[in-house]
Each structure stands twice: as C-alpha cells, then as structure tokens.
Amino acid sequence: DVVFTSYNAGSDQNPILRMPILRAKLNFTAALRGQVTIDEFQFIQPEFNIRIFANGETNWAFPNGKVWRSLQEAKTVRETTETGTQPKIENLTDLNLGRFSVISGVINYQNDTSERNETITNFNGSLLWPNIKAGWTFNGEGIWRGDIVNMNLTAATPVMLMAGGSSKLNAQIKSETINVDFEGETNRFSDLFFIGKASATAPSLRKMIGLN
C-alpha cells in the first residue's frame, strides 16, 4: 500500500503513484562494507498519474528529496546556460540511481494545457538510469488504445528533459498499428516536442485510420 502524493495536488486528485507492493534489491557487496545501496526498485502493479497543470507546473516536481534537488540544480543549469551552448551537467551533484522495473502497471497522462489525456495499461518495462548525470535506457511494452506497443528508448540527458529542458533521444516503437523509428532531440520548453529524423510504417491501414 505505497502511495506518493504530489505536494501541489489537491485533495480531489489522484496521487502521482500508488501500488500494493514495492520491492528493492540491496547491493550485497556494498552491504558487506556497511553501506546501504539499492541496485533495483520493483514497482508491482503500480498506477502512475502523470499531470501537467494549466500553469505549466508538473505533479512530479517535489520540494524535498535528493532526486528533486537534482532537478532543481538541473533547472538552474538550464536557465543559466547561454543559447547555443550545451548545459554543463557535470556540475550537478552526484546521485546514483539504478534500475527501475515495472510489473503490470497503468500509466495515466493528463495535460491540462493541451487537454490531452492518455492511458497505457498492462505496462511492463525496465528503466536503467545509473546516475543522475548519465543517460537512461528503457525497454518495455503496454496496451495503448487497444494496441500492444513495444518501446525501446535511450535518452542522453534525461535529467535536463525532466527539468524542462531538452535531451537527445533515440526511439523505436512497434505495434500492429504503426512502427516508428526516431533519432533526434526532444524538449519540454513549453509542451513536449520532438525534432529530428523519423520514419513510420503502418502495417494496418484500417487501424491507422481509426487511431485518432
């Protein structure tokens, strides 16, 4: 019965994350040295409620915690980086993360600025994010709009993207409705935008027409 509630969510809003079971794998060699280091977190049957509010704020920004302090550092780096130059993420405080696995999850996405609402069910996946300064690799699958979707994503600077900036991104998305390969950049300067090279094929024209 694990529940994470966003600080800026009202009493009538769903928590950002709730799940019946949370498991963690302890690093054995670190434990022998007297250190508590978690290598992997397993989210069992979680429900994620991701929301962007009308004022541009997000429900995944918290005023406390190591990850959220890192996001604030990244936001400061982004705001002080001159146009046309790369942000110096090496100046961020070191924070080791690990692997995050999801088993039988649900993702609800709500964007009040664009009035978009999406839901992914039967979600299973694994996100490897060794360090806050490092890139991450994700692979998984879920059911979106009645279609089984397989996803493989790599992001170069995900901390900057989460802080409202940008990141290089490679993505392969495969389903019975549409297959997409993307290489380029994604940013959250206002909404979520993608700039780069993309190719798409539609195995089923009938499903593609009904996608909207």
Side-chain angles (χ1 to χ4, degrees), residues 89-100:
I89 62 173
E90 62 271 15
N91 294 335
L92 298 178
T93 303
D94 272 327
L95 177 60
N96 293 326
L97 298 169
R99 184 182 299 276
F100 302 85

Side-chain angles (χ1 to χ4, degrees), residues 4 13 16 25 33 35 37 56 66 68 72 74 77 86 89 122 136 143 162-163 168 188 192 198 201-202 204:
F4 292 93
Q13 296 171 2
I16 185 173
K25 289 186 177 181
R33 298 193 300 269
Q35 300 174 348
T37 302
K66 292 182 179 180
W68 318 117
Q72 285 301 113
V77 169
Q86 294 295 322
I89 62 173
N122 296 80
W136 55 243
I143 297 178
M162 294 176 66
K168 291 183 179 179
R188 279 193 52 247
L192 185 64
T201 58
S204 172

Side-chain angles (χ1 to χ4, degrees), residues 169 171 178-185 194-201:
L169 179 73
I178 188 170
N179 297 326
V180 177
D181 287 290
F182 174 82
E183 180 179 357
E185 180 179 284
F194 299 88
I195 303 172
K197 297 178 180 179
S199 62
T201 58

Side-chain angles (χ1 to χ4, degrees), residues 73-94:
E73 286 186 9
K75 184 177 180 180
T76 300
V77 169
R78 176 179 64 82
E79 292 173 347
T80 57
T81 299
E82 295 183 3
T83 303
T85 61
Q86 294 295 322
K88 296 182 178 180
I89 62 173
E90 62 271 15
N91 294 335
L92 298 178
T93 303
D94 272 327

Side-chain angles (χ1 to χ4, degrees), residues 21-31 35-44 96-103 125-126 128:
I21 301 172
L22 171 64
R23 294 183 179 140
K25 289 186 177 181
L26 184 67
N27 184 301
F28 180 71
T29 56
Q35 300 174 348
V36 178
T37 302
I38 305 298
D39 281 342
E40 181 177 352
F41 293 92
Q42 292 183 342
F43 300 81
I44 312 298
N96 293 326
L97 298 169
R99 184 182 299 276
F100 302 85
S101 301
V102 176
I103 300 173
S126 178
L128 178 61

Side-chain angles (χ1 to χ4, degrees), residues 142-191:
I143 297 178
W144 175 65
R145 298 188 181 184
D147 201 0
I148 298 176
V149 180
N150 292 279
M151 296 164 283
N152 289 281
L153 310 172
T154 58
T157 54
V159 65
M160 298 308 300
L161 179 64
M162 294 176 66
S166 64
S167 173
K168 291 183 179 179
L169 179 73
N170 289 337
Q172 294 81 42
I173 301 173
K174 298 185 181 299
S175 71
E176 291 185 359
T177 302
I178 188 170
N179 297 326
V180 177
D181 287 290
F182 174 82
E183 180 179 357
E185 180 179 284
T186 181
N187 70 67
R188 279 193 52 247
F189 295 133
S190 54
D191 200 347

